[in-house]
Amino acid sequence: MKVKKQISKLVKPNYEGKDLHSTSSNNIPLSIFDTLTFDTQVAIIYAFHPPTPSYAFHPPTPSNTTIEKGLAKALAEYREWAGRLGEDTDGKPVILLNDKGARFVESTVDCTLQEYLMPFKPSSTLLTLHPPLEGGVEELVQVQLTRFTCGSLAVGFTAHHLVADGQATSNFLVAWGRATRGVHLGPLPTHDRTIFRPRDPPQIEFEHRGVEYEPMKKKPAVYDDCDPDVIVHKTHYTKEFLMKLKSKASAGAPKPYSTFESLIAHLWRATTKARRLHALETTQVRISVNGRSRLGPGTVSNDYFGNLVLWAFPRSQVKSLVSEPIQYAARLIHDAIAKVDGDYFRSFIDFANSGAVEKEGLVTTADMTKLVLCPNLEVDSWLRFPFYDLDFGGGCPDLFMPTYSPVEGMLFLVPSFVGDGSIDVYVPLHEKNMSTFKQICYNVD
C-alpha cells in the first residue's frame, strides 16, 4: 500500500481577466510579525470521501486537472504563495514575486482510504500524503492529491509560516475551493505588509525582551530528563465533556471562561502531572493571540494576508498548578490572553521598529529547533479558522487534521470532523509519560 507519485509540476498563477498592473511589484518585504514567527513549513491533511450513488450527500469530486486550474486562479489573488523567500538589495528578508509557482503532485494508492488511514490516528503514514517538508524546499506552497481505489481523495497541503498565519492560510484554502468551483473568491486579501508603522513618538509600554525576543544563545536549551521516544495521542473531547469542564473551570469567576481557556487549563494540568515535574519547577504555555481584532476596526481587516500573531505566556510553579483546582489555571490563562490587547500589539510594533532588535542582536523566541518543549507547552489552536470550508465542488472534507508532528509538548486543537462542537487534541508526549496522561485526560477534578 505504497503511495505512488505519478506527476510533479509547478503551478503558476493564472492572471486571465486580471489587471496585470496590480501584479507588477518585484517583492514584498516581510513584516515584523512575519520575521517574528516560526521559520518552518506547516502541513495539514484533508480527506474527501467518494460520492454516494445518488450524490445526495457526496457529489463527485472534481478531477485533478480541475483542482489544479482552481489553484492557478487562486494564486493570481494570493501571488505570494507562487513566489520564493529571498532578500532585497539591502539584505532584508522579502517574498520574491517571481511567479515560479506552487508544487503540485498527483499520486495514487492501491487500496481504500479506510485501509490506508483508518482510524485516522496520528501516524508517520500521514507524511506520505504531502510533499516533503525538509531538504531545501523552495516552494512556499506544496499540494499533493492522492486518489484511493474507493474514490476517496486525500489533499496534503504544506505552506511556509513566514508567509502567512493560520487565519490567512485558511482564507486562501477557502478561496482555492471557490476558484475550483468557478465562483467568486469572496473577500479578496489585503496584501500591504507595510502598515505596521511605529507611533510618533513611540510608546514602548511593555517588556518585549524575554517574551517575543531574546539574546542569541550559543547552545539551545535542552531539558535533561527526557526520553527520546515521543508518542502523539489523539484525544477526543465531546461537547458534553467540554460544557462540564467549562462550568468547573469558571466556578467563582466574574463571567465564564471560554471553552478554549477551560480546555487549555485542563490539558496544562494533565500534561504537567503526566510529566512528573519537580514541584518547584516553573512551567508555561505559549498561546497564539490573533491581532486582527486586537488592533481595532479600520487598522487591519480579517482578510489581511500575512502573519499577525503575538503570544500569551501564562506561567505557574508546578506545585501550585497541580494542587490548586482547575479554576487557578483557567484564571492564569484568561488573564495572560487578556493582557495581549491592542495596547500590547502597538507597543510591540514600536519596539520592533525601534532598532533595539538589531542593535542588541535579539532573535525570536519562536524556535523550531526544539524537539522537546518540556516543561512547557505550545498550543496551536485551529478552532476558529475556516479550514473545514474547503470545497472543490464535491462538498466539504470529511476529515481535517495536522500532519504527524512528534514535537514533545506541541499541542494541536482541531474541530472534530463529527461537527457537533467536539474537539480533537493532538498531544505529543514522551512514551514514559503517555500512559499517565491517558489515565487522567478525562478527569475533571
Side-chain angles (χ1 to χ4, degrees):
M1 295 190 296
K2 184 178 179 181
V3 174
K4 299 177 182 177
K5 297 182 179 180
Q6 300 172 324
I7 298 176
S8 179
K9 65 176 77 170
L10 290 174
V11 175
K12 299 186 178 183
N14 177 3
Y15 292 115
E16 183 179 355
K18 183 175 172 60
D19 181 10
L20 294 181
H21 178 73
S22 64
T23 67
S24 59
S25 300
N26 293 322
N27 60 60
I28 294 179
L30 293 184
S31 76
I32 54 175
F33 291 100
D34 297 327
T35 56
L36 181 70
T37 195
F38 294 95
D39 184 0
T40 186
Q41 297 268 355
V42 179
I44 55 177
I45 307 292
Y46 284 102
F48 297 85
H49 280 93
T52 56
S54 66
Y55 299 160
F57 300 103
H58 295 287
T61 303
S63 67
N64 289 359
T65 300
T66 301
I67 295 175
E68 178 188 342
K69 289 180 178 178
L71 178 62
K73 291 179 181 178
L75 289 174
E77 296 292 349
Y78 292 83
R79 191 183 178 194
E80 295 92 332
W81 285 136
R84 299 291 184 267
L85 292 175
E87 296 180 347
D88 62 13
T89 54
D90 296 324
K92 295 182 179 179
V94 298
I95 303 171
L96 303 173
L97 300 180
N98 51 25
D99 291 344
K100 285 192 174 182
R103 177 65 56 184
F104 190 83
V105 178
E106 299 179 51
S107 58
T108 59
V109 180
D110 191 20
C111 68
T112 67
L113 175 66
Q114 189 168 15
E115 290 171 334
Y116 195 76
L117 280 185
M118 289 298 282
F120 297 119
K121 291 184 177 180
S123 164
S124 59
T125 301
L126 292 172
L127 300 177
T128 64
L129 295 179
H130 59 75
L133 302 177
E134 285 127 14
V137 176
E138 291 186 354
E139 296 85 2
L140 302 182
V141 154
Q142 300 183 99
V143 173
Q144 181 175 320
L145 307 183
T146 304
R147 301 278 179 174
F148 295 82
T149 57
C150 60
S152 298
L153 169 68
V155 178
F157 177 86
T158 79
H160 206 295
H161 207 327
L162 289 181
V163 177
D165 57 20
Q167 172 90 54
T169 301
S170 59
N171 288 345
F172 166 76
L173 288 164
V174 174
W176 176 21
R178 294 179 66 88
T180 302
R181 302 199 310 272
V183 299
H184 188 263
L185 267 61
L188 297 180
T190 302
H191 296 279
D192 186 1
R193 301 187 185 219
T194 66
I195 60 176
F196 307 114
R197 301 183 183 92
R199 292 168 289 188
D200 187 14
Q203 301 175 47
I204 303 173
E205 304 166 277
F206 301 92
E207 182 57 70
H208 300 282
R209 298 174 183 84
V211 184
E212 292 85 18
Y213 296 108
E214 63 184 357
M216 184 178 295
K217 300 177 181 178
K218 294 183 179 180
K219 294 182 179 180
V222 177
Y223 188 72
D224 295 328
D225 185 24
C226 286
D227 187 329
D229 298 322
V230 174
I231 297 175
V232 183
H233 177 63
K234 176 183 174 182
T235 306
H236 178 76
Y237 291 106
T238 66
K239 183 178 180 180
E240 293 72 24
F241 177 90
L242 293 171
M243 291 174 62
K244 181 180 178 182
L245 183 65
K246 181 177 179 178
S247 176
K248 181 78 172 179
S250 303
K255 63 179 182 178
Y257 297 126
S258 68
T259 299
F260 171 77
E261 292 167 339
S262 303
L263 180 55
I264 297 304
H266 173 68
L267 291 167
W268 190 15
R269 298 176 78 240
T271 54
T272 300
K273 291 176 182 178
R275 284 165 160 174
R276 302 178 181 88
L277 301 177
H278 190 279
L280 299 182
E281 192 160 11
T282 298
T283 173
Q284 71 176 23
V285 187
R286 178 191 288 263
I287 301 174
S288 298
V289 179
N290 190 337
R292 289 165 177 81
S293 61
R294 295 296 203 274
L295 286 171
T299 303
V300 61
S301 73
N302 284 332
D303 302 307
Y304 171 73
F305 185 73
N307 287 281
L308 187 43
V309 167
L310 293 179
W311 300 281
F313 290 95
R315 296 177 174 87
S316 174
Q317 194 175 69
V318 169
K319 179 181 179 180
S320 300
L321 184 67
V322 300
S323 63
E324 294 287 341
I326 190 174
Q327 295 93 327
Y328 169 81
R331 183 175 68 254
L332 291 177
I333 291 167
H334 173 81
D335 292 348
I337 293 174
K339 288 178 181 178
V340 189
D341 57 9
D343 289 338
Y344 188 90
F345 269 87
R346 285 182 280 272
S347 173
F348 169 78
I349 292 171
D350 289 350
F351 177 78
N353 284 287
S354 69
V357 174
E358 297 79 6
K359 182 178 179 180
E360 300 175 27
L362 302 177
V363 296
T364 174
T365 58
D367 184 3
M368 280 303 298
T369 65
K370 297 178 181 178
L371 297 180
V372 175
L373 302 182
C374 184
N376 302 322
L377 292 178
E378 166 89 25
V379 176
D380 288 319
S381 173
W382 296 344
L383 298 177
R384 294 188 176 184
F385 302 146
F387 282 110
Y388 267 108
D389 292 345
L390 173 62
D391 181 1
F392 295 120
C396 293
D398 296 273
L399 178 70
F400 163 72
M401 65 189 300
T403 190
Y404 178 68
S405 182
V407 177
E408 195 273 350
M410 181 171 287
L411 279 58
F412 287 90
L413 277 63
V414 182
S416 172
F417 66 90
V418 177
D420 62 351
S422 54
I423 296 174
D424 293 327
V425 183
Y426 295 81
V427 182
L429 290 175
H430 292 298
E431 185 176 10
K432 65 182 181 182
N433 300 328
M434 185 57 77
S435 59
T436 301
F437 176 79
K438 290 180 180 180
Q439 292 172 10
I440 64 177
C441 66
Y442 295 111
N443 294 344
V444 182
D445 54 11

